[in-house]
Amino acid sequence: MAGIRRLATESIEEHYQTYVRSNSELCFLCGISSLAQNRFNIKDDDQWRADYDHLLCKDKYPAFSCHPDNFIPTCHICNSKAKGAKDILWDDKSGRRKAFFPLPPFQESFYHLVRLVPAFADLADFRANNDISPLKAARLQWPTATPDEREMIKAWIDLYQVPKRVAERITSTFCEYIDADCTPDNFDDFCDQINRKCRREPADMKVMEWRFWWYRLYQWLNEQSDDIKLEAWELIRWKQQLVNGNHAAQTFGI
């Protein structure tokens, strides 16, 4: 190990810390989860680090099991749950994927192409079933992507299942997150808050978990008509009333 470190000029822990400082504290593949949690005033060699995923899995491509270009830092879900030992070069139908290297210096990032489009539940249904999600769906779309880009995006979807993960979080916490993040008092305040959230990319987008995906939702909301925004506001307001009512029942027994 000492010989390997001498040749590499750095340990894997130091390599990871250099990567995080240069790129992102979030998983580059999903933009959802932190890679690891650094502790204050601890030297790089003693910090915790994220998993390093084998892009080309060891079972199918053993010749690349130790190749440095085959390792990328990923979150636990992307590495161990979503991708596992999937083949990034061939799909389940023996079709060749249009794969790509997902990290810098690769320049063809597609994050700027994605749109997050929610589908709201009917307020009457929401009122009749207090615990249902206010959203029926939250779909990711790439309306301006080229055919080649769509093929690469499809490989990313198949391997890491990010759209399903995003849809679950957005649909299950839509009202609670926006209420806590924007704290709107009324419909006009709600519209103003949404507009402010979209003026620029959040400074903490590469640091805070889920920030990128909520930013994309705010962008979509801000583009919509007042009728659609009002529909969203009614759902949020109903959820506020429901939560406040539950708190009153728990506290005062009423």
Side-chain angles (χ1 to χ4, degrees), residues 199-215:
R199 289 179 183 170
R200 59 177 174 79
E201 289 187 351
D204 60 355
M205 197 167 73
K206 293 184 178 181
V207 179
M208 295 295 291
E209 293 182 337
W210 289 101
R211 182 69 76 188
F212 169 74
W213 295 108
W214 286 107
Y215 172 61

Side-chain angles (χ1 to χ4, degrees), residues 29-30 53 55-56 72 78 82-92 95-102 106 110 142 145-163 165:
L29 295 167
C30 66
D53 179 36
L55 279 176
L56 297 171
I72 61 171
C78 280
K83 178 174 175 283
K86 291 177 184 174
D87 192 335
I88 70 166
L89 299 182
W90 300 90
D91 62 27
D92 293 339
R96 183 68 163 84
R97 299 186 197 273
K98 200 172 190 67
F100 59 95
F101 188 71
F106 179 73
F110 307 133
W142 291 265
T146 67
D148 280 352
E149 288 170 341
R150 288 182 182 279
E151 283 193 49
M152 287 186 271
I153 290 167
K154 184 180 184 305
W156 170 77
I157 292 172
D158 291 344
L159 293 168
Y160 300 104
Q161 302 180 45
V162 176
R165 294 155 62 188

